[in-house]
Amino acid sequence: DGGITQSPKYLFRKEGQNVTLSCEQNLNHDAMYWYRQDPGQGLRLIYYSQIVNDFQKGDIAEGYSVSREKKESFPLTVTSAQKNPTAFYLCASSIGILVPYNEQFFGPGTRLTVL
Amino acid sequence: RKEVEQDPGPFNVPEGATVAFNCTYSNSASQSFFWYRQDCRKEPKLLMSVYSSGNEDGRFTAQLNRASQYISLLIRDSKLSDSATYLCVVNTPNTGNQFYFGTGTSLTVIP
């Protein structure tokens, strides 16, 4: 089955630790995205990548880092510099910029809690 | 100004009712428009794409008005299973193919 997987589903972090959230897709999509969702709020863009080895900051990139070494993988690292990291993290992908109506597909998300 | 604005609701409607959600977007260069559904503590899932001529999928009808930069979703004969948050989403290629999300409209269908 094609789709997007995220792991882990739940993650607990101590203050001061870096953690990495995994996102893998087998849809052969060029574009991948990371969003953060806080309770009762909309999605906010952290980072996005339109092609391998390239990525751009979104609206709330401070305290986060990403890499895009392979087309199918787009891991997100939440660093200790992120002051309020407890949230629901969603990874998404889309075919790419040249395709009209290229909707986004989402992974199941990772819930990160800082203890 | 937000890229996409939605009435957050909540909308509480009885089973069988018709309910309409509205959404406006600010960037006239936006090209693609979608409605997503998000259940509590789950990821958003595509409900339908919104085409220029308007489109219908069973009980759901989506319409786009480019001149007014306005998108709507109509749900007829509401079911209990329609209870969710509905997200209006706009794709703007000239901003690096970003997708812009409304904050969502909460719907509860009451027996």
Side-chain angles (χ1 to χ4, degrees):
Chain A
D1 287 339
I4 303 176
T5 57
Q6 290 186 243
S7 61
K9 187 173 182 179
Y10 299 97
L11 184 58
F12 298 90
R13 189 195 94 172
K14 293 182 180 179
E15 284 195 28
Q17 282 184 335
N18 291 353
V19 291
T20 297
L21 282 56
S22 168
C23 177
E24 304 278 332
Q25 54 98 0
N26 60 4
L27 300 167
N28 199 32
H29 285 174
D30 284 319
M32 297 187 75
Y33 307 78
W34 273 105
Y35 296 93
R36 168 183 173 141
Q37 188 174 36
D38 293 281
Q41 297 190 32
L43 278 68
R44 292 186 290 168
L45 182 65
I46 304 173
Y47 269 98
Y48 62 107
S49 168
Q50 297 300 323
I51 198 168
V52 175
N53 293 321
D54 188 42
F55 50 83
Q56 288 78 41
K57 293 182 179 179
D59 300 319
I60 55 165
E62 185 175 351
Y64 300 97
S65 66
V66 293
S67 62
R68 187 82 187 278
E69 296 176 2
K70 298 186 293 183
K71 187 176 185 178
E72 60 269 24
S73 179
F74 192 39
L76 173 74
T77 297
V78 184
T79 75
S80 57
Q82 170 49 236
K83 299 305 178 188
N84 186 22
T86 295
F88 185 39
Y89 289 88
L90 288 158
C91 179
S93 71
S94 67
I95 292 176
I97 196 168
L98 296 178
V99 178
Y101 287 98
N102 65 130
E103 66 265 28
Q104 281 190 322
F105 296 86
F106 285 84
T110 293
R111 292 199 176 273
L112 173 63
T113 302
V114 173
L115 303 173
Chain B
R1 184 181 177 186
K2 290 183 179 179
E3 294 280 343
V4 179
E5 302 216 39
Q6 282 183 259
D7 179 351
F11 285 67
N12 299 312
V13 302
E15 271 188 289
T18 295
V19 61
F21 304 141
N22 301 317
C23 170
T24 58
Y25 60 96
S26 61
N27 191 336
S28 59
S30 298
Q31 299 268 337
S32 305
F33 310 89
F34 311 93
W35 284 100
Y36 279 73
R37 169 190 171 131
Q38 186 175 24
D39 292 288
C40 187
R41 300 178 69 82
K42 298 286 189 180
E43 75 274 24
K45 293 187 177 178
L46 180 68
L47 179 65
M48 55 198 308
S49 301
V50 187
Y51 301 117
S52 295
S53 57
N55 47 301
E56 186 174 310
D57 182 4
R59 297 182 295 108
F60 299 86
T61 300
Q63 291 196 315
L64 167 66
N65 184 323
R66 285 189 183 271
S68 301
Q69 296 180 199
Y70 169 94
I71 307 157
S72 66
L73 177 69
L74 184 75
I75 305 176
R76 290 181 299 278
D77 188 23
S78 298
K79 312 291 185 190
L80 296 177
S81 57
D82 293 334
S83 298
T85 297
Y86 291 83
L87 304 172
C88 175
V89 183
V90 172
N91 176 237
T92 309
N94 69 357
T95 63
N97 198 31
Q98 288 191 52
F99 289 76
Y100 297 94
F101 289 76
T103 52
T105 300
S106 173
L107 173 65
T108 300
V109 181
I110 304 165

Coordinates of all heavy atoms in Angstrom, one line a residue, chain B residues 28 30 33 37 44 52 60 70 85 98:
Chain B
S28 N -4.7 36.1 -4.8 CA -5.4 35.9 -6.0 C -4.6 34.9 -7.0 O -5.2 34.4 -7.9 CB -5.7 37.2 -6.8 OG -4.4 37.9 -7.0
S30 N -3.6 32.0 -6.1 CA -3.8 30.7 -5.6 C -4.5 29.9 -6.8 O -5.3 30.4 -7.5 CB -4.7 30.7 -4.4 OG -4.1 31.3 -3.3
F33 N -7.6 24.3 -4.7 CA -8.4 24.5 -3.5 C -9.0 23.2 -3.1 O -9.4 22.4 -3.9 CB -9.6 25.5 -3.8 CG -9.1 26.8 -4.5 CD1 -9.0 26.8 -5.8 CD2 -8.7 27.8 -3.7 CE1 -8.5 28.0 -6.5 CE2 -8.2 29.0 -4.3 CZ -8.1 29.1 -5.7
R37 N -11.0 16.9 5.9 CA -11.7 16.6 7.1 C -10.7 16.1 8.1 O -9.8 15.3 7.8 CB -12.7 15.5 6.9 CG -13.4 14.9 8.1 CD -14.2 13.6 7.8 NE -14.5 13.0 9.1 CZ -15.8 12.6 9.3 NH1 -16.7 12.8 8.4 NH2 -16.0 12.1 10.5
P44 N -5.4 15.2 9.0 CA -6.4 15.6 8.0 C -6.4 14.6 6.9 O -5.4 14.1 6.4 CB -5.9 17.0 7.6 CG -4.9 17.4 8.6 CD -4.3 16.1 9.2
S52 N -13.2 24.8 -10.5 CA -13.8 26.1 -10.9 C -15.3 26.1 -11.2 O -16.0 27.0 -10.9 CB -13.1 26.6 -12.2 OG -11.7 26.9 -11.9
F60 N -22.1 16.0 -0.6 CA -21.1 17.1 -0.5 C -21.0 17.9 -1.8 O -20.8 17.3 -2.8 CB -19.7 16.6 0.0 CG -19.7 15.9 1.3 CD1 -20.0 14.5 1.3 CD2 -19.4 16.6 2.4 CE1 -20.0 13.9 2.6 CE2 -19.4 15.9 3.7 CZ -19.7 14.6 3.7
Y70 N -13.5 33.1 -2.7 CA -14.4 32.5 -1.8 C -14.6 31.0 -2.2 O -14.8 30.7 -3.3 CB -15.7 33.3 -1.8 CG -16.9 32.8 -1.1 CD1 -17.2 33.2 0.2 CD2 -17.8 31.9 -1.8 CE1 -18.3 32.7 0.8 CE2 -18.9 31.5 -1.1 CZ -19.2 31.9 0.1 OH -20.3 31.5 0.8
T85 N -13.9 18.3 12.2 CA -13.4 19.6 11.8 C -13.1 19.6 10.4 O -12.4 18.7 9.9 CB -12.2 20.0 12.7 OG1 -12.5 20.1 14.0 CG2 -11.7 21.4 12.2
Q98 N 3.4 26.2 -1.5 CA 2.9 26.0 -0.1 C 1.4 25.8 -0.1 O 0.7 26.3 -1.0 CB 3.3 27.2 0.7 CG 4.7 27.4 1.1 CD 5.0 28.4 2.1 OE1 4.4 28.5 3.1 NE2 5.9 29.4 1.8

